[in-house]
Amino acid sequence: MPEHHSDRTPEHHLDLTPEHRLDRRLFLRAGAATGAALAVGTSVGAQPAAAAPGGFPDYTYVRTLLTASQLKYNPTGEIIFPCVRGVYDKLSSPLGRYHLYYAPHDAPGGICLAYGNSLAGPFTEYPSNPIVADKWSPHYSVSHVSSPHVLWNQDAKEFWLYFHGENTTTRLARSADGIHFTYDKVVLSTSMLPAGTTETSYARVFRHDLPSRGARYVMVFMLNNTTDHRDIHWGWSADGRNWSYDQQPLIRHGDVGAVNVGGPHLLHRDNSTYVVYNKDKGSGGDIMITEVGNDFGKRNHLGVFYNSRSAAPENGRAAAPAFGTDGGVPYMIYEAGERLAGAIAVARG
């Protein structure tokens, strides 16, 4: 998700990459956006810590955006894995400037949508959730679908949704409006990784050139195996549909002192590429950062990117971050709280 590369689509400049500068006037204007809030808490005035690794902005918790108990579609009492996309420059009559995708994880799951005019919130639940369910005849019938990641595919001029169900399989669906999707195909499964792999899920896909591999897209995802320790893996693709996968981990849990790592997201800054991801709560519950370089050849573990707070709603765990800028102000939207008992929150840089 490069910030300075000229070959990136406008999405990466407007909606994905944290900026160096804060424009307080623009932030105040954005924060004044109106609309029906689902769950907006009060701002927290805590001062940010020292500068984040890699020259990224510090992020400070602002408020809760979505809480399962306040949603009309709430089959399980939990939601996870936010993904935010600016749609104001892609759709002629959008529901709001931003789409926020999320899902319950436990059965039956369901890919869900909320919309709003500011990354700081509020967001309004789409009334016909889920937009993708656990059964899609004749393509699949599974116990659950979850972990939505939506990419604006500039080549196809479509929204491409990557989601898992079961935990062994990641699928692709495509849409002109980011709401109504057509099924495409399976893009990732345990059979494509080493023997003993039990889960390949929580995938995010980014536009990223790898000329040496003939690739224009990169995927980062979580892999579990029979040891029951989760690592970050990666793959590459020329078209976003047909993928090759490195058989070795990109980030090993033991290399960063964790039992499990997951929720990876790609960031780009100052001509280098980074992966941010979360540790399990027992290993600290923080969001970490590793520099992998533009060719994914580095393994420079830089430490804590965002230190989860002990106070609610984080309760010692922050996870599955997604990033955007609104009026020049960087935001991080993420899971806050115990796994399968948390909320979707926003922090600002």
Side-chain angles (χ1 to χ4, degrees), residues 220-221 223 230-234 248-256 261-262 264-265 274-277 288-292 298-301:
V220 287
F221 60 97
L223 181 146
R230 292 163 177 86
D231 297 321
I232 305 302
H233 277 246
W234 76 293
Q248 297 299 316
L250 179 66
I251 300 165
R252 300 176 187 271
H253 66 279
D255 290 346
V256 294
V261 290
H265 194 294
Y274 303 79
V275 179
V276 291
Y277 51 95
M288 312 298 289
I289 181 169
T290 294
E291 183 182 11
V292 297
K298 292 183 178 180
R299 301 293 185 271
N300 186 12
H301 304 302

Side-chain angles (χ1 to χ4, degrees), residues 79-239:
I79 51 175
I80 65 167
F81 210 80
C83 177
V84 64
R85 286 293 171 264
V87 298
Y88 51 86
D89 56 345
K90 302 171 182 69
L91 301 176
S92 58
S93 300
L95 296 171
R97 287 173 55 82
Y98 297 96
H99 283 186
L100 175 57
Y101 300 89
Y102 61 96
H105 180 268
D106 286 352
I111 306 306
C112 296
L113 170 67
Y115 57 91
N117 290 318
S118 168
L119 290 181
F123 282 89
T124 300
E125 181 182 13
Y126 181 65
S128 299
N129 281 332
I131 58 175
V132 172
D134 59 335
K135 294 174 177 57
W136 194 341
S137 181
H139 308 297
Y140 62 78
S141 177
V142 295
S143 72
H144 76 288
V145 291
S146 194
S147 72
H149 178 82
V150 174
L151 167 79
W152 170 250
N153 189 304
Q154 182 66 27
D155 299 327
K157 300 294 192 296
E158 291 176 337
F159 296 92
W160 285 23
L161 166 65
Y162 299 85
F163 62 103
H164 83 247
E166 310 290 354
N167 290 344
T168 59
T169 306
T170 295
R171 307 172 189 274
L172 170 64
R174 300 163 63 169
S175 171
D177 63 6
I179 303 171
H180 304 94
F181 284 86
T182 300
Y183 186 82
D184 191 347
K185 62 180 292 188
V186 170
V187 294
L188 170 65
S189 72
T190 52
S191 64
M192 301 174 184
L193 277 299
T197 298
T198 58
E199 300 175 28
T200 47
S201 52
Y202 301 98
R204 294 193 191 272
V205 173
F206 302 89
R207 177 74 176 83
H208 182 93
D209 286 328
L210 289 171
S212 64
R213 299 179 186 266
R216 303 177 69 240
Y217 298 89
V218 163
M219 178 189 294
V220 287
F221 60 97
M222 185 196 77
L223 181 146
N224 192 16
N225 58 31
T226 53
T227 68
D228 203 27
H229 290 283
R230 292 163 177 86
D231 297 321
I232 305 302
H233 277 246
W234 76 293
W236 55 93
S237 172
D239 59 5

